[in-house]
Amino acid sequence: MSNETKTVEGLEDADINGDGHISQEELELHLEFKRKEMEDADAMRDAQRNMAWFALGGMLLYPFAVVVAELIGLDNASKTLGDMAPTYFVSVAAIVAAFYGKEALSGKK
């Protein structure tokens, strides 16, 4: 093993003990932290994407729920669903708009 010194930019936060040198252990911890950070960000994006698709699916299925309730004779249920529709659609549209707005802004970086 050689004692060759390498200068690497952007790894200042990897120097855990503050001695000005990054040991192999510090580098491995730093890389593990970055890997976990990337995995967490990926999982968050997947969860947000799934939430947006679920909301869109619900938005498309909501009118069918009203029709089905009417067809099977649940008049009170279809009236209640119909009364909730404006609030439901605005709420779901806000969720989907927030997701796609965030995606558009993060895509510009």
Side-chain angles (χ1 to χ4, degrees), residues 41-100:
D42 188 43
M44 182 185 71
R45 285 189 303 269
D46 288 345
Q48 289 174 337
R49 187 179 307 109
N50 289 337
M51 179 187 64
W53 279 110
F54 184 79
L56 283 171
M59 189 183 265
L60 293 173
L61 292 175
Y62 192 92
F64 292 112
V66 174
V67 171
V68 168
E70 187 69 35
L71 288 176
I72 61 174
L74 301 173
D75 296 330
N76 196 24
S78 64
K79 181 182 178 340
T80 302
L81 285 170
D83 290 343
M84 290 178 6
T87 305
Y88 177 77
F89 282 107
V90 169
S91 301
V92 171
I95 290 170
V96 173
F99 172 73
Y100 284 107

Side-chain angles (χ1 to χ4, degrees), residues 5-52:
T5 302
K6 297 179 184 177
T7 304
V8 180
E9 298 293 324
L11 285 178
E12 294 81 16
D13 56 335
D15 186 16
I16 297 169
N17 60 8
D19 65 354
H21 300 286
I22 300 172
S23 68
Q24 185 65 32
E25 184 180 323
E26 288 174 324
L27 181 59
E28 288 171 6
L29 285 172
H30 178 73
L31 291 175
E32 178 67 17
F33 175 76
K34 288 297 183 183
R35 185 181 65 78
K36 290 283 189 188
E37 195 175 61
M38 289 172 53
E39 287 175 357
D40 289 347
D42 188 43
M44 182 185 71
R45 285 189 303 269
D46 288 345
Q48 289 174 337
R49 187 179 307 109
N50 289 337
M51 179 187 64

